[in-house]
């Protein structure tokens, strides 16, 4: 296997660097005969922290061929690590390990209350069994995903149930993500001490300091919520208007405020087609998040949150290289010079 070499300026610090892929690990020690594959501004690989690959539309079962296509689209966009907080089924063994796949964390199928969530997807245990189901999932894959609220008139998951789920997931060494798009659900999630709030639409701004203090991350999926807001506003008959418009209209401000409050904000796309992480980073910047922090949410900060170091000796050999500093021109994210995962160039 040819040893790959990249050279340039490493983010987040922007320091000059020369890296060699020693198998699946970076080293700064020169390797004779290494192939220089790219020079420029180097990131430790992009991250999509909220994506659901493998099914062409809600309710369909997981399709291995669709999954491969979706993962390839992520790689083409420079995404070398994904987190899938909810899948249409248990993925094949090669998921997150194959040469043509980003690294991956996943939470298995969603866990929801009876009568809620998308038909055909997820599991719906009784409330008494739900914490154990979440813990079993987290013990297998490291993450579990719970839907704490759904439609406006649906019951929000009781805080004592969610708190027990958090405790039991943590006891097996896992982490718990929650779907919430209503203020009441967001309050329950923060009170229960979950690990990440997904979407978070309608979240009370006053809860942001507590999230920062407790290390609760926010994945705002801003670009898809902004797009849905535009569609909702354009359709006066849309039944979601009364609850969706207020929360979605404030979501950009909430996201910027979360960064200002010190909350770990993660970039996630939550939509098809896959490979749209650049649009999410630009949505964060448009919302008022400084470009450095917007890019961090899709790279080094997200990788650190998920337990992977950046461009240091011994780190996994992932990287994406751009011609110029992408913080000064976020359009660079559409034009990577090279994408490397597991010490192999895939673009």
């Amino acid at each position: 296997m040819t040893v790959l070499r990249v050279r340039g300026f490493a983010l987040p610090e922007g320091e000059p660097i020369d890296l060699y892929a020693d198998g699946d690990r970076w080293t700064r020690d020169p390797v004779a005969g290494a192939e220089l594959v790219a020079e420029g501004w180097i990131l430790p690989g992009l991250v999509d922290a909220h994506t659901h690959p493998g099914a062409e539309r809600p309710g369909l079962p997981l399709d291995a061929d669709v999954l491969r296509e979706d993962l390839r689209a992520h790689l083409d966009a420079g995404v070398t690590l994904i987190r899938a907080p909810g899948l249409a089924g248990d993925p094949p063994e090669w998921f997150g390990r194959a040469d043509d796949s980003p690294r991956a964390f996943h939470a298995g199928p969603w866990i929801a209350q009876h009568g809620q969530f998308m038909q055909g997807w997820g599991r719906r245990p009784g409330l008494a069994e739900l914490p154990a189901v979440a813990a079993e999932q987290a013990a297998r894959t490291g993450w579990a995903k719970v839907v704490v609220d759904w439609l406006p008139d649906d019951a929000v998951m009781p805080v004592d149930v969610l708190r027990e789920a958090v405790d039991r997931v943590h006891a097996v060494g896992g982490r718990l993500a929650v779907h919430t798009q209503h203020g009441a659900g967001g309050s329950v999630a923060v009170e229960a001490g979950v690990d990440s709030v997904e979407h978070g639409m309608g979240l009370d701004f006053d809860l942001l300091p507590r999230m920062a203090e407790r290390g609760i991350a926010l994945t705002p999926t801003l670009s898809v919520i902004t797009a849905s807001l535009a569609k909702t506003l354009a359709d006066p008959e849309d039944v979601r208007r009364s609850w969706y418009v207020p929360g979605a209209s404030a979501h950009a401000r909430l996201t910027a405020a979360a960064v200002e409050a010190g909350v770990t904000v993660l970039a996630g796309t939550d939509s098809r087609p896959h490979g749209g992480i650049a649009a999410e980073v630009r949505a964060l910047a448009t919302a008022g998040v400084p470009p450095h922090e917007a890019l961090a949410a899709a790279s080094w900060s997200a990788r650190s949150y998920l337990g992977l170091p950046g461009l240091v000796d011994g780190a996994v050999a992932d990287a994406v290289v751009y011609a110029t500093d992408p913080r000064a021109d976020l359009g660079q994210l559409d034009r990577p010079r090279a994408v490397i995962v597991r010490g192999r160039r895939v673009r």
Side-chain angles (χ1 to χ4, degrees):
M1 177 177 171
T2 302
V3 174
L4 303 186
R5 176 188 177 195
V6 293
R7 181 172 62 197
F9 302 97
L11 292 178
E13 291 84 6
E15 63 174 348
I17 199 168
D18 219 331
L19 286 171
Y20 300 81
D22 184 9
D24 188 19
R25 291 290 183 271
W26 288 124
T27 179
R28 298 193 187 199
D29 295 332
V31 177
E35 177 187 355
L36 180 61
V37 295
E39 294 184 75
W41 287 78
I42 309 168
L43 277 69
L46 296 180
V47 180
D48 190 330
H50 189 118
T51 180
H52 308 294
E56 291 187 334
R57 61 178 183 272
L60 291 182
L62 191 75
D63 184 302
D65 291 334
V66 173
L67 183 62
R68 281 196 179 276
E69 292 176 5
D70 292 344
L71 296 175
R72 181 68 219 188
H74 279 299
L75 281 181
D76 284 345
V79 172
T80 64
L81 174 64
I82 67 168
R83 182 186 58 153
L87 287 170
D90 288 320
E93 186 175 348
W94 55 259
F95 177 67
R97 301 177 182 177
D99 290 343
D100 59 349
S101 169
R103 301 178 197 275
F105 294 92
H106 75 90
W110 295 262
I111 303 169
Q113 298 183 80
H114 288 297
Q116 298 186 19
F117 199 53
M118 298 179 184
Q119 186 174 359
W121 275 3
R123 292 174 288 177
R124 293 163 182 79
L127 291 178
E129 294 77 34
L130 189 146
V133 172
E136 183 275 333
Q137 177 64 57
R140 289 194 298 118
T141 64
W143 282 89
K145 170 74 172 294
V146 170
V147 179
V148 300
D149 58 46
W150 191 238
L151 298 178
D153 295 330
D154 287 340
V156 174
M157 185 168 292
V159 68
D160 59 333
V161 173
L162 188 59
R163 186 182 290 114
E164 183 183 352
V166 170
D167 290 343
R168 296 187 68 164
V169 165
H170 288 176
V172 298
R175 291 200 271 184
L176 185 70
V178 299
H179 166 107
T180 173
Q181 288 188 296
H182 302 283
S187 296
V188 164
V190 176
E191 176 65 25
V194 304
D195 294 287
S196 71
V197 170
E198 307 302 305
H199 315 298
M201 199 176 74
L203 189 67
D204 188 339
F205 282 54
D206 290 341
L207 292 174
L208 296 176
R210 190 173 185 191
M211 289 178 65
E213 179 184 348
R214 303 188 73 177
I216 300 173
L218 171 66
T219 316
T221 60
L222 184 57
S223 55
V224 70
I225 287 179
T226 299
S228 295
L229 173 62
K231 293 177 183 177
T232 302
L233 289 172
D235 182 1
E237 303 301 320
D238 194 320
V239 297
R240 302 185 305 167
R241 288 178 68 93
S242 62
W243 72 269
Y244 195 88
V245 170
S249 297
H251 204 52
R253 289 188 290 109
L254 173 72
T255 300
V259 172
E260 182 68 22
V263 175
T264 296
V265 171
L266 308 173
T269 57
D270 190 36
S271 67
R272 303 189 69 85
H274 292 272
I277 194 63
E280 180 66 11
V281 174
R282 289 192 284 266
L284 294 174
T286 299
V289 176
H292 183 90
E293 299 301 332
L295 198 53
S299 184
W300 56 88
S301 290
R303 294 179 78 89
S304 176
Y305 177 80
L306 293 170
L308 293 181
L311 298 171
V312 297
D313 281 300
V316 294
D318 297 352
V320 58
V321 185
Y322 300 99
T324 62
D325 188 347
R327 298 171 299 179
D329 174 15
L330 292 175
Q332 284 286 312
L333 297 179
D334 298 318
R335 302 183 295 276
R337 279 188 166 178
V339 179
I340 297 165
V341 63
R342 302 180 187 85
R344 299 174 180 269
R345 185 174 184 176
V346 294
R347 174 174 170 171

